[in-house]
Amino acid sequence: MQGDEEVIQETQKMTKKNSFYPTKMSSRQELGDSSSELYRPAFTSRDKLDHEKLWSIMGSYLKNDVQTIQENIVNHIEYTLARTRFNFDNTACYQATAHAVRDRLIESWNDTQQHWTNQDPKRIYYMSLEFLLGRAMQNALTNLKVEGQFKQALLDLGYKLEEIYEEEHDPALGNGGLGRLAACFLDSMATMDLPAWGYGIRYNYGIFAQKIVNGYQLEVPDYWLTYGNPWEIERLDVKYPIRFYGRVHRVNENGKERAIWDGGEIVLAQAYDNPIPGYNTFTTINLRLWRSVPTQEFDFSLFNQADYMKAIEARQRAEYISSVLYPNDSTYSGKELRLKQQYFFVSATLQDIIRRFKKRKRSWKDFPEKVCVQLNDTHPGLAIIELLRILIDIEGLEREQAWSIVGKTFAYTNHTVLPEALEKWGVDLIGSLLPRHLEMIYEVNYFWLEKVGQKFPGDDGKLASLSIIEEGPVKKVRIANLCIVGSSAVNGVAALHSDLLKTTIFKDFHQMFPKKIQNKTNGVTPRRWVLCCNPGLAELYTRVLGSQDWVIELGLVRQIEKKADQAEFQSVWAEIKLENKRRLAKWVQKHCGIKVNEHSLFDVMVKRMHEYKRQLMNALYAIHRYFTIKDARPEERVNFVPRTIFIGGKAAPGYLSAKRVIKLINAIGEVVNNDREVNDYLKVVFLPNYNVSNAEVIIPAAELSQHISTAGMEASGTSNMKFTMNGCLIIGTMDGANVEIAEEAGKENQFIFGATVDQVEGLRKKMRETDPNEYAGPILNRIFRAIEDNVFGAREDLVPLIDTIRNRNDYYLVCHDFEDYLRAQDEVDRAYLNKAEWNRRSILTATRMAKFSSDRTIQELSLIHI
């Protein structure tokens, strides 16, 4: 065993390999076997430390041999959970194992933070109202490269690691692609050794857990913290005051007027830290989530007066802020709660960032050299005004200097081309809740419009379009405009999306700032979305390539492309897919009570329910396919490709049309799956409560995935990337990232249909001018009649649903694109009959997806910041 000083010197030599992270500890794999004692890096000279014994005890990392892991687990059983060896079920085993893994994360997490404190690099702060992390245990064990040791350790104790994984509840911290993207970005930033933090809210409840009752969506609370969260670290020492309401007045200090915002109501933001490990590196970054708590537990005087409800009223108001992801904003109080939530989040985050910046004595002009804040959509947009307020009102900077710092600090990611999806807040609401911020928004807008007037003299249209304030009967603050004005860079999330930003909703901003709007196509992490969720495919890649380097350099799998035509390789590839299909079939049997044919074509569409995503088109196709099989003579039916159509996703509680689509899908399944003449050739399954852990079972099993949004309406999508990385072929429109996927995989290897972006507006005009009796065509009209005739039941809900796409209402062009959609579906059937051709396309698609690794996206975003 080397001496302490010798190990420290060797570690310091190893840590100079990475250009961005100059003292990186090297990869875990390089540092020897799991039983080796590994010394932690020294961040200061030994002779300057006062606590020599403490340093010595904490000087090495926990070992990762099986015996040590078992000791760690059983210690947590007794000393953390207070369980005994006589009362140790799978749930307790999960909790104890999670703490044992977390111990290892905390070591690296502490050293990572100390390293960055010493190095003092420019830090990236990623602010997102959503983080759809998925289960933590497998991801942590995989990234730490200790899954095998933990598996054996648990097996010796009488437990199966695969069963322990299932004990973990998905964290309810997000809803859709926005949150999943944020989670992938954290994984990539850690893996790439970037000095990054994530910031969000620690919701008590997710958006909701979805149950299907009589074919209808039923929303129930998703209280994911029932058994606590063993991965988080509660930081009772990190709390910040957040003010709401109050008044603004001015005082004169040394001949200078200063605004003071006081009074109102104050809550506290308390930090909860979540270590995020990089793959095969000692870098473990932090996701800090804020929980709202009262400044005092309750009013003791009111309690003594027996007014118990009044005594805890302030506490309840405080706790509501972080209770629920996206509270219903159909009422004024709902809107106020959402705005409270957003300001609470940004104020706490900026106070934390500034505290860290102030650890060293330096000038405020250095702030943009040490801090970059990436805004994930408009939800954190108030951070721009909050930082301005802090710099001017608290730190005493002049307006020009403060605004210059703000403009260099933020970057903004836009996620939509739908004008109605861009956040706007009523001036009256902001003025009541955040009076000082409204003053500053008006001030920023005044100076901003002066610049616009200079650039476009006499152009009132430009002034109206570019203003942060939207005039009208109800004045509103346009948060997207604020984000663009207050950021150094703005990015779209797919090439098509970024082009549309420049030519449609942000056209005037692009004329004002020709270089500000950039493209950074989304990506997903191959760690979770191949290595963890598809172990068979991951093992094949590693065996063929000779190492696991592909996990962080996904472009290496392109070398496998040359095997796409080899029959032996195709056979191995197909067996991996079949095994994944068997796993999904078992899941469906367990959760849906439906037995599916594992040899049928698995056709999957899982995403948030929305009219523009056109799940309705898929449902109508299922009816058409059912009728086609039903119409055929029994001896002809054997010629049909057996297909199982899986559809899953949540509809927003108030989104009636989307909820009716769910009912239609379930109604179709009820008819089709119980029709003995047809159900050998077709089944329709709605997959309930779609979330990350379900996706990890569904995506590797899919053979065809539907991404069929109306062209120009999907910003990017990320599920399309996950599916294609796992060898799934796409049937889709040329929308969002589908365009770039087709470019990379080869358009000939996908099934493309439908109107293109440049055709959409003309087709909508034509739709409104066409006789409704002629518009839909005979195939759709037959389907409509069947729904009207109550073939699928629930006529009172389903007829209004189909009315949304007929009678000149086909805004999303479902009827227009349907005929071409049928053509593409016929092409799918023909291709699937030729298994060698299908497998070839699958291999080519999967091995050409390197562009869609989130590592590439983060690399491109880092060029903005560093």
Side-chain angles (χ1 to χ4, degrees), residues 394-432:
I394 299 175
E395 301 298 335
L397 273 63
E398 295 295 333
R399 187 193 66 81
E400 292 80 4
Q401 183 188 7
W403 184 246
S404 174
I405 291 170
V406 169
K408 295 173 184 175
T409 297
F410 292 97
Y412 159 53
T413 298
N414 172 275
H415 285 275
T416 185
V417 291
L418 307 180
E420 65 272 18
L422 297 174
E423 277 195 312
K424 300 173 187 177
W425 292 109
V427 164
D428 290 345
L429 176 58
I430 294 182
S432 168

Side-chain angles (χ1 to χ4, degrees), residues 3-69:
D4 289 359
E5 296 297 341
E6 197 177 345
V7 170
I8 293 167
Q9 291 171 10
E10 185 62 28
T11 299
Q12 289 172 342
K13 286 179 188 175
M14 287 192 295
T15 59
K16 296 180 180 176
K17 293 184 178 180
N18 187 291
S19 59
F20 181 79
Y21 188 32
T23 56
K24 182 189 172 208
M25 282 249 350
S26 186
S27 75
R28 292 177 179 272
Q29 201 167 24
E30 288 174 322
L31 291 169
D33 63 56
S34 59
S35 62
S36 302
E37 186 162 15
L38 178 61
Y39 288 88
R40 299 170 72 174
F43 295 105
T44 186
S45 175
R46 286 284 299 276
D47 57 11
K48 292 182 181 178
L49 289 171
D50 297 327
H51 305 289
E52 181 73 18
K53 186 66 176 177
L54 180 66
W55 195 97
S56 176
I57 292 171
M58 299 178 68
S60 59
Y61 289 109
L62 286 169
K63 293 180 183 179
N64 287 319
D65 60 287
V66 170
Q67 178 68 28
T68 301
I69 290 169

Side-chain angles (χ1 to χ4, degrees), residues 466-701:
L466 295 172
S467 175
I468 296 170
I469 305 296
E470 179 180 87
E471 302 294 338
V474 178
K475 284 190 176 184
K476 295 182 178 180
V477 176
R478 298 162 165 161
I479 303 299
N481 286 22
L482 174 63
C483 288
I484 297 173
V485 173
S487 295
S488 61
V490 177
N491 73 277
V493 291
L496 176 61
H497 171 236
S498 300
D499 289 343
L500 287 171
L501 293 181
K502 297 174 186 177
T503 57
T504 57
I505 58 173
F506 298 147
K507 178 182 178 181
D508 292 339
F509 277 107
H510 183 55
Q511 290 181 19
M512 188 78 182
F513 302 119
K515 295 183 180 179
K516 180 173 272 195
I517 300 176
Q518 309 170 18
N519 178 57
K520 308 297 176 197
T521 298
N522 279 348
V524 300
T525 169
R527 268 74 65 183
R528 183 177 291 272
W529 295 110
V530 180
L531 184 62
C532 286
C533 77
N534 199 341
L537 182 59
E539 185 182 343
L540 178 64
Y541 283 169
T542 301
R543 187 168 70 249
V544 172
L545 295 172
S547 76
Q548 280 195 330
D549 291 349
W550 63 269
V551 179
I552 54 175
E553 296 178 47
L554 194 57
L556 293 173
V557 301
R558 188 75 184 245
Q559 299 173 32
I560 298 175
E561 179 183 323
K562 59 182 178 287
K563 294 181 176 288
D565 291 308
Q566 296 177 9
E568 185 178 351
F569 188 79
Q570 285 188 5
S571 177
V572 174
W573 187 272
E575 186 57 38
I576 291 169
K577 179 63 73 173
L578 181 59
E579 187 56 39
N580 289 328
K581 290 171 69 176
R582 287 173 179 147
R583 183 165 62 131
L584 176 57
K586 289 179 183 176
W587 188 96
V588 169
Q589 178 78 56
K590 178 180 177 181
H591 293 279
C592 307
I594 300 171
K595 186 174 182 179
V596 300
N597 176 8
E598 65 191 35
H599 297 289
S600 64
L601 168 60
F602 276 24
D603 172 353
V604 178
M605 185 178 191
V606 282
K607 52 185 74 232
R608 182 168 50 88
M609 304 296 291
H610 198 291
E611 287 169 284
Y612 84 80
K613 295 178 184 288
R614 303 201 293 190
Q615 287 96 342
L616 177 56
M617 179 184 281
N618 193 354
L620 297 176
Y621 172 72
I623 296 175
H624 166 69
R625 193 175 184 93
Y626 171 64
F627 286 164
T628 305
I629 298 171
K630 189 81 170 171
D631 291 345
R633 294 192 301 272
E635 64 273 16
E636 296 173 329
R637 290 175 187 154
V638 295
N639 297 319
F640 284 92
V641 173
R643 187 184 295 213
T644 304
I645 298 174
F646 300 97
I647 305 175
K650 296 179 180 179
Y655 197 167
L656 187 57
S657 290
K659 295 177 84 169
R660 284 171 169 164
V661 172
I662 292 174
K663 173 58 180 174
L664 175 61
I665 295 163
N666 282 291
I668 295 167
E670 187 68 23
V671 172
V672 172
N673 300 344
N674 290 294
D675 189 330
R676 293 184 179 180
E677 293 182 346
V678 173
N679 62 18
D680 284 341
Y681 309 101
L682 177 66
K683 284 197 174 170
V684 178
V685 180
F686 186 84
L687 302 169
N689 202 38
Y690 182 61
N691 58 23
V692 176
S693 56
N694 295 348
E696 291 176 24
V697 177
I698 295 164
I699 288 172

Side-chain angles (χ1 to χ4, degrees), residues 165-185:
Y165 286 152
E166 294 300 314
E167 293 294 320
E168 184 174 358
H169 195 301
D170 277 38
L173 299 171
N175 178 37
L178 185 84
R180 189 53 239 166
L181 178 74
C184 286
F185 279 6

